[in-house]
Amino acid sequence: SLDVQRRLSRILTLLLDAETGERGYVLTGEENYLEPFYSAAPRIEAEIKRLRAATGDNEAHQRQAAALLQLARDKLTELRQMVELRRSQGIDAAVARIQSGQGKEAMDRARALICQRAFALYHGVPIQLAALGDRAGLLGAVALFLHMREGRA
């Protein structure tokens, strides 16, 4: 439904806002860059709970929402740890952690799950994004999701 699609879009936007705030802080060390993080973080879980309520009649959608909630919690934990690492050990330690790729992998998993659900909404069939094989496939799926969102909004 359009309501579910909008909620998925909001969740992805909020996750991106949180990550943007964290990255700005890591790069500059200036607290004002954390504003998007502090604004988005508490709203993510609430939005996922609303998504679950909107899909309450479908067990598969409930499982996906539960998985998305866990991914979001994991990502927010990782972002908080990065902020603390930057505060306590400085930019070099934070950049080294970013270069490990852990945070990117968590965000990629969240994007994939959201795109998988969005694709199913529009086409009525599930898609396993892992079958796309590489990052180009994932980026294509994200582009498809955003294109469909703009066309339906």
Side-chain angles (χ1 to χ4, degrees):
S1 79
L2 188 55
D3 180 51
V4 171
Q5 176 60 37
R6 286 183 179 154
R7 292 190 188 290
L8 289 167
S9 177
R10 272 190 226 122
I11 293 163
L12 181 57
T13 299
L14 289 168
L15 284 168
L16 291 170
D17 287 351
E19 186 176 59
T20 298
E22 172 262 350
R23 292 291 163 92
Y25 174 75
V26 166
L27 291 172
T28 67
E30 294 184 26
E31 291 287 326
N32 64 322
Y33 280 90
L34 288 171
E35 288 174 17
F37 172 80
Y38 290 136
S39 174
R43 295 169 46 209
I44 292 169
E45 190 163 336
E47 195 62 44
I48 294 171
K49 287 179 180 179
R50 285 190 284 276
L51 174 67
R52 290 183 85 170
T55 60
D57 59 338
N58 187 307
E59 188 176 320
H61 296 171
Q62 290 294 305
R63 282 193 305 274
Q64 287 178 327
L68 182 57
L69 179 60
Q70 188 58 53
L71 285 171
R73 285 176 175 164
D74 292 348
K75 182 62 183 173
L76 289 172
T77 297
E78 182 262 330
L79 294 175
R80 286 182 188 102
Q81 289 171 348
M82 284 297 300
V83 168
E84 184 52 38
L85 182 65
R86 172 63 166 95
R87 281 186 181 132
S88 65
Q89 296 181 33
I91 192 169
D92 291 339
V95 169
R97 176 110 157 290
I98 290 170
Q99 290 174 333
S100 76
Q102 291 175 336
K104 183 182 179 325
E105 291 169 10
M107 193 61 145
D108 285 349
R109 285 191 306 272
R111 280 187 187 108
L113 187 59
I114 290 169
C115 290
Q116 178 181 341
R117 180 68 193 111
F119 187 88
L121 276 173
Y122 283 97
H123 299 286
V125 294
I127 180 174
Q128 297 297 323
L129 291 180
L132 296 175
D134 61 9
R135 288 186 182 143
L138 177 60
L139 291 174
V142 170
L144 173 66
F145 166 74
L146 293 173
H147 172 74
M148 290 186 303
R149 183 186 83 193
E150 289 176 323
R152 299 268 182 142

